[in-house]
Amino acid sequence: MQFALDPASDQYYVIEVNPRVSRSSALASKATGYPIARVAAKIAIGKRLHEIPNAVTQRTTAAFEPALDYLVVKIPRWPFDKFASGDRTLGTQMKATGEVMAIDRSFEAALQKAVRSLEFGGRSLLWEASEWAGEAGRPALIAALEQPSDLRLWAIAAALRREMPIDEVARYTRIDRFFIAKIAAIIDTERQLLGSPLTPALLRKAKRQGFSDAQIGRLADLLPDQVRALRHTWGIRPVYKMVDTCAAEFEAATPYFYSTYEEEDEAEPLPGPKAVVVGSGPIRIGQGIEFDYCSVHAATSLGEAGHAAIMINSNPETVSTDFDTSDRLYFEPLDEECVTEILCHEAGGNGAPPEVPVILQFGGQTAINLAEPLAARGVPILGSARDVIDIAEDRKRFERFLAELGIPQPPGDAVMSLPEALEVAERIGYPVLVRPSYVLGGRAMEVVHSAEFLERYLETAVTFDTGHPVLIDKYLQGKEVEVDAICDGREVLIPGVMEHIERAGVHSGDSFAVYPGVNLYPGEVDQIVEYTTQIALALGAVGLINIQYVIHGGKIYVLEVNPRASRTVPFLSKATGVPMIRLATNAMLGRSLRDQGYQGGLWPRQPLVAVKAPVFSMAKLRGVEVHLGPEMKSTGEAMGIDRSFAPALHKALLAAGMALPPRGSILVSLADQDKPESIGMLETLARLGYHIYATEGTAAMIERVGIPVQMVTKRIGAGSPDMLDVILKGTVDAVINTPGPAQREVLDGFQIRRAAVERGIPCVTSIDTARAIVQTLESASNGYTVQPLGTYRERVQVGY
C-alpha cells in the first residue's frame, strides 16, 4: 500500500493498493529481516501467521512484528551516467534501473553509506555540479531544488553549504524539514572538518555520521590512508551489529550484519576456512542480475567445498543479500574502506594485514576495481591475480602479450591526449572504435568515422585526467564471437562458442547471442578454441575468463579479454548444463578441472539452439537515443531455447517484446550500405503480406527490384505522410531504421526512433537483427516446442 501524507495537516491519503508483492517488498524484507515472500507463500497454502516460525530468531513466530534498533535508507540507481542526454526529471514514470540500501544507527550515517553505495562516478555527498558554482549559479541551483531529479540530493547539500535556511530549502523542494535538518547536520560536520584540527572526538563524530576516510581526508587535507592510520591509532574502528527483527529482545540465529561506530560488536569472526565474495552493488546498465547469479552460486560452491561463505553487497533486490544465502552477510557499500574493514574484522581485528581470501571475479567491474587496492594491502585474492587483470586492461601490456603469442588484434593504441588520439586515428584509418579503459558496459564507447567527430566525442564523452588511457582501435565490421571459459591453471574448459547476430559495433550486451554459433565454420571454431586456451594459460587466469573475437576478412582478431565473469555466464550455463561457477570457484580453491570430473577443450555441442535477446527500457527514458552502438543500453535480457535456430529466436523475441505480428505494415528506412543486404528480407516481408512503407531512397531501391512499396517522406513536416505520421497514427506495426554514420545525429531520425518506442512498437536499428527477425517470421508458422530445459539437452533418438 502507498500513502501520501499532507505535511500541513498530518492527514494521510491512500494512493494505491496492490494485492501482490512489489518492488518494495524485497526492500522491506531486507530492511527488517522479515522474509515477506516466504511468509506470504506459507499463508497461500493455508498457514496462519502464528503457525509460521520466524526464520530469523527461530524462536518467535511470523506474527511477531519486527522491531528495529537501526535505520535504513534506500536510494534508486538511475542510468543518467549512461544517458547524459536523457530527461532527468523524476515523476510518475519509473526511470531507475536498480537501488541501494544502507543500514546504520542514524539517518545521517545510513544516507552517506547509501550515497557511497550508488557507485555513481565515485561521488560522495561532497560533489557539486559545476553550473551551481558562485552567485551566477544560484538560479541553476534553485532550479535543481525545485525540479525533482537524480541530482536533487546533492543540490540540497550544496544549498545548505551556501547557508540557505532549512525552511527555504523545504519551500523549494517540498521535502520534510526533518530530512533537510539531518542533511544540515552533515554539512555542519563538514565545516568542522574544514575549519578545525582533526581530533579523536571530531573523527569519531564524522565516522558516526557516515563520512568515509576519503571524504574526511579531502576536508581535513589528508590522504585517506592517513585518516585510516589515525583512526586505528585512536582506536576508532567499526563494530558490526546484527539485523535481528526484534531490536535484540530475543537472540537471533541469522548472520546478517551492518557496520556502525559504537562499542559493542555482535559479529564474532567465523572460525575455520572461509572466503569473502564481493557482490556487484546496484543493478545498472552493464552490470545486472547476472553477477548476482554468479555470487549466489559461488557462495553455494564454497559451502560445498567446506568453506564458510561471507557475502558483501549493498543491493536489496538480489538473492545474494538474502540472510540465508551465505554463512554470513554484510550489508555494506562496496568500496575499499568498507571491504577492507570487514576483512580485517574477520581476520581477528588485531591490526595485522587481513588474511581472509576474497573472490572478486563474480562482482562485475565493481569487484574487479577493488583488486588493485586490496592487493596493495596484502589481501589474498582467489582466482586470477591482480597482475592478470592489469595485463588485460592495460593496452600496452595487452598488445605485447598477444604479440608474443602471435594472436592478432585490431591495430590501435592507447592515448592520453586529444592530439595523440587524432594522430593514432589518422595512422590506422577511420572508422575507429574509441573507449576508455577500466569500464564495464561499454560506457562512453563509440565508433567514430571522422576527425571532426573524434574531436567532439573526446571533448564531451571522456576525460584524460583519470590516470587511465583512452583506447583507439581500428573498427572492423565483422562477425563477432564470444567465449566464456574456465581455467584451472593447467587446462581450459570452453562450455560453448557464442555467435552474435549483429556484426561488431553493437555492444555485446545489446546483441543477440546464439549458442552454438550457427554460421561459424568448424575451422573458425577450432581456431577460437585454440586462441582461448593459449590466452587463458599464458595469462595465468584461474577461474572464469571471457574473450570477445571478431572474424574479419577470413581472419580472427581478439577484441578484448576479461579475466572475470561476464553477463553471458548464466545464459551459457543454462544452455550447456556446465556448472561454470562451481567449476570456477573450486578452481580458485585449488581443485583441478579433472578432479571435478571435467577436462580441457570444447564441451560437446548440445542438441539445441539457445538465443539471448536484449531487453530495453527506452520508452521509460525520454530523450535517449534508441540506435544501438558500442555503448550498452539494454537493461535486461531474455532467453529462447529450442531444437533449431528460428524457433529459439522466435521464443526470445516473444519474451523480449520484440516479435513482429504475422502480418501488418512496416516502415523501412535504410542506410545506403545496408540496402543491398536487405533485398531478401524485403521480399520475404512482401511474400508474407506485409505492406511496406519506405523513405525516398529506400523506396526507390525497393521499386527497382519489383517489390510493392508506399513512399513516405523522410523529413518531418516536408510532405504528407511523413515518417512520424505513419508511426503516431498507428499505421505501421514496426520500424526498421538503420541510420548511416552521417545520419545518427540527424534530429528527424532521432524523433522517429523515439516515436516508435514510445508508441510501443518494435524499432530495429541493425540490419543483421532485422534480417534474423524476418527469418523467424517466415518459419514461425511451423511453431515451436515447449519442453523442460533439461529435455533439450537430451539427444533425440530417431527410430524406425
Side-chain angles (χ1 to χ4, degrees), residues 130-316:
S130 56
E131 59 264 28
W132 302 340
E135 191 58 35
R138 182 176 170 82
L141 179 58
I142 291 173
L145 293 172
E146 292 179 323
Q147 188 72 30
S149 79
D150 61 311
L151 301 180
R152 191 191 236 180
L153 173 61
W154 285 271
I156 292 170
L160 293 168
R161 282 189 198 101
R162 289 154 179 74
E163 300 187 349
M164 185 181 286
I166 290 172
D167 285 349
E168 188 177 350
V169 176
R171 189 170 69 252
Y172 285 131
T173 61
R174 302 295 182 186
I175 292 174
D176 193 286
R177 287 168 179 77
F178 169 86
F179 299 111
I180 298 170
K182 292 292 186 181
I183 298 171
I186 294 172
I187 303 306
D188 183 61
T189 303
E190 279 185 18
R191 294 192 183 104
Q192 291 179 52
L193 289 165
L194 275 168
S196 306
L198 192 59
T199 63
L202 179 55
L203 181 54
R204 183 174 291 276
K205 176 184 178 182
K207 297 306 291 183
R208 286 174 67 91
Q209 286 188 332
F211 283 84
S212 68
D213 289 348
Q215 284 173 274
I216 294 168
R218 181 175 165 189
L219 293 163
D221 198 21
L222 296 168
L223 294 172
D225 275 355
Q226 291 175 308
V227 176
R228 182 173 184 267
L230 282 174
R231 271 201 304 107
H232 290 185
T233 299
W234 292 335
I236 303 172
R237 292 176 178 267
V239 296
Y240 296 90
K241 300 288 188 181
M242 184 178 285
V243 175
D244 57 12
T245 83
C246 56
E249 204 171 317
F250 299 93
E251 186 176 348
T254 56
Y256 174 12
F257 299 97
Y258 65 94
S259 69
T260 191
Y261 279 82
E262 292 188 356
E263 300 302 322
E264 183 187 5
D265 189 274
E266 297 174 2
E268 285 292 321
L270 285 176
K274 56 189 172 183
V276 169
V277 179
V278 177
S280 60
I283 292 171
R284 72 210 89 155
I285 294 172
Q287 193 157 296
I289 207 72
E290 62 274 1
F291 295 113
D292 186 63
Y293 168 98
C294 296
S295 298
V296 170
H297 280 262
T300 304
S301 301
L302 284 169
E304 291 170 352
H307 287 64
I310 300 169
M311 185 75 67
I312 310 175
N313 208 352
S314 59
N315 188 338

Side-chain angles (χ1 to χ4, degrees), residues 48 61 75 104 188 300 347 357 420 479 481 484 581 588 644 679 770:
R48 301 295 184 91
T61 70
I75 302 180
D104 213 306
D188 183 61
T300 304
E420 279 186 77
K479 186 161 46 180
V481 178
D484 286 304
I581 302 301
M588 293 182 207
S644 59
I679 294 171

